[in-house]
Amino acid sequence: MNDVNIKGRKCFISAVAYLHNNTKSELEYFFSNVVRRINAGFENFELILVCDDDCYDYVKEVKQGLTECSSPDIISVIKLAYYQGAEAAICAGDDLAVGDFVYEFDSIAVNYDVNLIIDVFNKAREGNDIVFAGDDTMQLSSRLFYRLININKAKSVRHDTFRIVSRRALNRVKKMNRGIQYRKYLYVTSGLPYDYIMYKPVNSNRERKTGRESAYRLNSGISYMMIYTRIIERVTLILSAVFLLVSVGVGIWTIYSLFYDKNLASGWVSLMGVISFGFFGVFLLIMFLTKYMNIILEVNTRRLDYIVESVDKL
């Protein structure tokens, strides 16, 4: 299944890879294995590298690594103006890509057999607009995120390492959401056919996350759940209902005490407890509402998905 037929070889293939906090050895391994495998399997192939680091030395390492393996027809390196995360970086690469099919690599850490790249393409040629490749090795936080975001969903989003996307899928997803984008969710809910290929890791290579990237993912995960699910909305409604009942109960208790309690000081502890509980709920709701307003503001005022500083043709 690893061979690509003649018709498939004539497709124009783009590969978008996200670079952040990677070592030179990781870059060289990605270029000498993944890039070389794609370049050998297709007649027309372009590589787009999106650099999300603060210094331009990153791009120099990329150029040096590319000279040591067979190069694609077109190589572009996008340097983002500042750290913007994997979602914006891949979107920048997708906008520059011109291929009929686009590989998206959220990380250049390779823990799979490189022939899987061709298997994913063959699966796409069977009629799937999106094909995901992933394994089941996830952190507890990731498992919790996917469980929450898939609540009451007919189509589930799953963890993946990389994916191939048709031009039709890219065009449709671009029209679905203009603000904060979670591409995997949009691909699954685009209405186009998709499939998963699960694999067992062949080595222990894993993506290394910095503190800034972990904070970005946590913030993005909360935003995705607010936008693409109704979990936070339901929690807010339940909390509002609970505190409404508490307020009604306090009102009834106050009226009762006014007429029947001759020593109001005896209820001081209970009163303070209710007040503390009520204010806790108020501040929690304010936190949720503040997050919602921030998302609404960003979606309505943000005109660009990303900001590019430079694009180099190698």
Side-chain angles (χ1 to χ4, degrees):
M1 189 175 177
N2 293 331
D3 294 331
V4 183
N5 56 40
I6 299 299
K7 184 177 180 180
R9 287 183 181 274
K10 294 186 180 299
C11 288
F12 196 106
I13 299 297
S14 300
V16 179
Y18 174 60
L19 305 180
H20 178 72
N21 192 38
N22 297 110
T23 63
K24 184 177 179 180
S25 60
E26 289 174 334
L27 295 172
E28 292 173 346
Y29 188 86
F30 180 78
F31 298 143
S32 61
N33 289 273
V34 175
V35 174
R36 178 172 293 174
R37 185 66 186 94
I38 300 177
N39 192 55
F42 302 94
E43 290 184 2
N44 303 302
F45 166 48
E46 68 166 347
L47 175 64
I48 300 173
L49 305 170
V50 187
C51 176
D52 201 12
D53 263 8
D54 297 331
C55 62
Y56 198 70
D57 293 339
Y58 224 59
V59 180
K60 294 180 180 178
E61 289 190 28
V62 171
K63 293 179 179 179
Q64 184 178 357
L66 285 173
T67 59
E68 300 174 1
C69 65
S70 55
S71 298
D73 298 329
I74 304 172
I75 302 172
S76 302
V77 179
I78 300 176
K79 180 189 177 186
L80 298 182
Y82 52 87
Y83 178 78
Q84 298 171 53
E87 289 292 325
I90 296 297
C91 286
D94 287 345
D95 284 349
L96 189 63
V98 297
D100 301 311
F101 288 90
V102 179
Y103 283 97
E104 295 180 349
F105 296 91
D106 293 342
S107 169
I108 63 171
V110 181
N111 66 343
Y112 46 85
D113 188 332
V114 293
N115 289 321
L116 180 65
I117 296 171
I118 305 302
D119 294 341
V120 167
F121 173 78
N122 288 335
K123 179 68 71 172
R125 297 293 295 178
E126 294 175 2
N128 298 293
D129 283 271
I130 310 104
V131 180
F132 303 90
D135 56 35
D136 291 327
T137 56
M138 291 184 292
Q139 296 179 347
L140 179 61
S141 57
S142 297
R143 293 183 184 276
L144 178 61
F145 168 75
Y146 284 110
R147 182 176 294 273
L148 290 176
I149 204 168
N150 289 324
I151 290 179
N152 298 327
K153 293 291 191 303
K155 298 181 178 180
S156 298
V157 181
R158 299 165 65 180
H159 167 72
D160 69 330
T161 307
F162 70 93
R163 68 204 67 87
I164 189 170
V165 186
S166 69
R167 177 57 52 183
R168 181 173 68 159
L170 288 174
N171 293 338
R172 178 171 296 189
V173 165
K174 274 293 181 183
K175 299 177 182 178
M176 291 176 62
N177 192 301
R178 182 58 186 164
I180 299 175
Q181 295 192 11
Y182 181 36
R183 287 170 296 107
K184 286 191 287 187
Y185 184 88
L186 295 176
Y187 289 149
V188 170
T189 58
S190 64
L192 298 174
Y194 68 94
D195 203 352
Y196 283 89
I197 295 181
M198 306 305 294
Y199 66 88
K200 293 184 178 180
V202 297
N203 54 50
S204 59
N205 293 341
R206 303 296 299 175
E207 180 183 4
R208 294 179 295 105
K209 301 182 182 67
T210 61
R212 179 171 59 176
E213 192 169 7
S214 298
Y216 161 80
R217 292 196 175 194
L218 176 61
N219 183 68
S220 298
I222 296 174
S223 299
Y224 297 153
M225 284 192 290
M226 285 186 170
I227 294 174
Y228 298 111
T229 71
R230 301 184 63 184
I231 295 176
I232 304 299
E233 178 186 355
R234 291 174 181 175
V235 170
T236 303
L237 290 175
I238 292 173
L239 287 174
S240 299
V242 169
F243 291 121
L244 177 62
L245 293 176
V246 171
S247 300
V248 172
V250 170
I252 295 174
W253 176 74
T254 302
I255 295 174
Y256 174 83
S257 299
L258 180 64
F259 290 99
Y260 297 100
D261 193 349
K262 303 302 181 181
N263 187 9
L264 295 178
S266 62
W268 177 257
V269 176
S270 300
L271 180 61
M272 292 303 297
V274 171
I275 292 176
S276 300
F277 185 70
F279 274 108
F280 170 79
V282 169
F283 287 124
L284 187 63
L285 290 177
I286 290 175
M287 182 182 66
F288 285 141
L289 292 175
T290 301
K291 183 64 179 178
Y292 263 121
M293 288 188 290
N294 180 64
I295 293 174
I296 293 172
L297 179 65
E298 186 171 357
V299 169
N300 285 281
T301 61
R302 189 174 178 180
R303 293 293 178 263
L304 297 176
D305 294 332
Y306 49 83
I307 302 174
V308 172
E309 180 176 311
S310 63
V311 177
D312 288 350
K313 295 290 186 180
L314 303 184

